[in-house]
Amino acid sequence: MKSLNEIVHEMTTWGTPACGIFCGIVGAIVAVLLLTIGFWKTVLVALLCAVGAFIGGVKDKSAFLKDAVNKLFPPKDSL
């Protein structure tokens, strides 16, 4: 029996049958959301899900955000 980590890795590896099924399910969910609540509400739901995944998945949020901002806008002394 495969572990949960192996299953998730297989679902997120492009070209595998599990990834095809996973992407198909995600596409169907997005299509239903678009048809029932509209485009902008679907974008809001996706944004809130991304924020929730960020809050739940990143241990050191301040360091992550600092690194992300420094990559987008490098400090002037590093140029």
Side-chain angles (χ1 to χ4, degrees), residues 9-72:
H9 177 67
E10 197 172 307
M11 284 177 26
T12 57
T13 302
W14 293 110
T16 61
C19 183
I21 293 169
F22 176 69
C23 289
I25 291 170
V26 170
I29 291 170
V30 170
V32 168
L33 285 172
L34 285 171
L35 291 172
T36 57
I37 64 173
F39 177 76
W40 290 111
K41 290 180 183 177
T42 301
V43 171
L44 176 65
V45 168
L47 180 67
L48 292 176
C49 287
V51 169
F54 170 75
I55 290 171
V58 177
K59 284 186 179 182
D60 191 3
K61 293 166 190 56
S62 62
F64 178 83
L65 288 173
K66 183 178 178 182
D67 290 341
V69 169
N70 283 338
K71 284 181 183 178
L72 290 172

